[in-house]
Amino acid sequence: NNSSQLSSLPLQILLYVNGVYYIFYFLATLAMIIYKSQVFSYPDDFLAPDLAVLFLMAILEVPRLYLGFKGNLTEAEAPLGLSLGLTVGSVVLCVYLLLWQTYVLWADVLLNAVLLSAYGLESGLKVMAIAAFVS
Amino acid sequence: PADTPDTAQARPRSAPAPVTDVAKLCVCDLLVAQCDVNCCCDPDCSADDFSLFTTCSVPVVTGDSQLCSQKAAVYSLDVEANPPERIFKLIDQVNPSIFCIHATNYKQALYLKSSEIPTPENFDRLLDKFGGVGFSAEPESWNLDTDAQNPPDANETYRYEYGVPVQTEDAFLRLPSPVVSSWCSDANPAGFLVNQATKCIRSVSVEKCDSIQALSMLFYINSSILASVFQVNITVQSVVVQSQNGMRTLLNSSDVLRLPMVLDELCINAVLGVNYHITHTDTGEITEAAAAFVLGAISKEALSIEQSFEINFTQENTQPVPLSGNPGYVVGLPVRAGFRPQGYPFPAGFLSNKHSQLTILQSTSTQDCLAAQGARAPVLFGYNMISGCKLRITAAVKCQPLAQTLLDVLKGQSFPEYVASFGNSQAQDVLDWVPITQLHISEQMISNTLQSSCQIPVSLGIEVKWTKYGSLVNPQARIVNVTATITTTTLKQLPSGRERIIPVTSSVVFTDISSPAEPGYKAWPTINIKLPFDFFYPFV
């Protein structure tokens, strides 16, 4: 019965796909940072911020996805709103890895662009879901 | 506005900025304001010059090829056109790899690091870091100045290895030596078992001669050497005083310390040479140390003196013998030989090698055998030698004394009986010495010669057979057999008044009798198969 269900199915699918994709993204970016540190000259004071941003993003991703799932399934707008806030942080970190990393490889550009578009689509769907829950 | 000299000096000079525009980079442009041959990117070349080129030595100038897209300057020669002309194209080169660098936020990533320009502020630091023989991040371990040295543990046994600096209480045993120039540097440590002899120049002045440390005996015997449980003091072995004209006198009492002092415009008791003798055990512990000094006087006009230093290491309870190789003989070093009195061979003279060497007659300019008695040359390993002299005999010469004289001329005063098999054979090791086989060959075996006719030796041939011993990659020369052959001939009686000249020769030949190398394993490789401990678990 579709009319009484406010949870957004596309958002759920997207969150699930986002979770899987993020695992792949994290491992690939970590591997590429290791590759870069071997092949290029990567001094420690440049390596540290890049690794810190990557791990911070991973730490943010877990509650973000959990709150998104919970908010969407329980049709509560508070967790969804919090997840939206965390998404903003993740977007900033993703933009850092896309533009201000020490070495931005072409593969980095691809991975980060896909992640950014996923975040953008997710944010739009979350806003629509919040609007649906509130009203 | 005039540039004052102060501001010009204060402005820090920096290296010129690197050129990164590929259109302006030219690696083959070596001559300034002249056209380099076959260099298509040279801006000094005109179109006429280009028409004379055959190829372009630098066809492409690009930046780092790992970038995803970069500019490249492509130079080529169009040989079809008449006259040939150079084609210059600026293209975008694309790296298709997925791991190409799209952007980098680290400026120095793709360029070589530019080095620091020395300024008065950082000069000392740069000199410390790069001024030594090698660059290292840690300060050099032989730094002798105020860095705190760990005080060595007095109970620790000090075993030295070859080349390790000999330690004393405060630093290392110094052997002043010339470094780069001929001036003495006091920072050269003496290495254990490294026999060294150095000469260097020290600047002196007679007025300050008692304050210059390096001229005083105390400077050299001051510190005691750290060795085994106790410390070994450096004793004064002998003191030789050298006078102004070079004559040296050995002083009787060598326990009095003579310090330099000014006397009659001369500085006497100044150290001109030190000879250290260190005695050690065969496990590397130093037991004794002695120093022999040569003192001299410095005159007022002298601005510098030459000092000579030497250090020798001797194993205790052995006579110091100059080695001819370790262990195999080294080509060019004398063959060691000796006698065997009562039981075991030992070289009868150690430091002076006149009495127990294998020697050969040395040809002199007069070529007269009788006058040449005494001139002998040592037999050097690997060098075949031949020498000779001429003997003039008259009718009045008696045979027996002549034969004996010739034997002395050929063999020398003390012809040894044994030759060392290895270059470092010790006198105690009996099996390391090879006996010299003596053969007599008579030149004429005519049966009708009377038995009592005189035979005089006319040639001595020493044949030394040696072999390569040890491993194939580092074979050591080992003497296996030495044969001394004396050839005699009959002396026919001369009618009186006639003279005859007989040539007398002696030769040394070294023959290599090495057998071909055999491959061998040190130990046959074994396969260790053992069953695991609990293989038969349920049953045992």
Side-chain angles (χ1 to χ4, degrees), chain B residues 38 47 70 98 105 127 132 138 140 158 189-190 211 213 224 258 265 370 389 402 404 417 461 463 479 503 514:
Chain B
N38 275 349
Q70 54 183 316
I98 199 166
N105 293 308
L127 186 65
E138 292 92 34
E140 295 216 3
Y158 266 99
S211 62
Q213 271 202 323
S224 48
R258 287 164 175 263
E265 297 192 348
L370 302 175
C389 57
L402 179 67
Q404 191 53 44
E417 297 165 8
E463 189 182 4
I479 292 184
S514 336

Side-chain angles (χ1 to χ4, degrees), chain B residues 174-202:
Chain B
R174 283 173 292 256
L175 200 75
S177 68
V179 177
V180 182
S181 65
S182 314
W183 296 98
C184 287
S185 152
D186 288 330
N188 180 38
F192 186 66
L193 288 189
V194 178
N195 294 340
Q196 275 182 305
T198 59
K199 279 196 190 163
C200 57
I201 303 179
R202 206 177 284 277

Side-chain angles (χ1 to χ4, degrees), chain B residues 192 277-281 285-290 312-317:
Chain B
F192 186 66
H277 295 280
I278 315 266
T279 315
H280 64 96
T281 65
E285 295 164 358
I286 296 185
T287 53
E288 269 175 42
N312 288 305
F313 289 88
T314 323
Q315 194 168 331
E316 63 178 4
N317 298 332

Side-chain angles (χ1 to χ4, degrees), chain B residues 144-177:
Chain B
L144 290 182
D145 54 12
T146 58
D147 286 336
Q149 296 260 349
N150 306 343
D153 190 5
N155 292 335
E156 206 177 81
T157 320
Y158 266 99
R159 264 158 218 250
Y160 288 97
E161 290 176 4
Y162 178 84
V164 168
V166 176
Q167 281 189 320
T168 60
E169 321 173 279
D170 46 356
F172 298 101
L173 184 66
R174 283 173 292 256
L175 200 75
S177 68

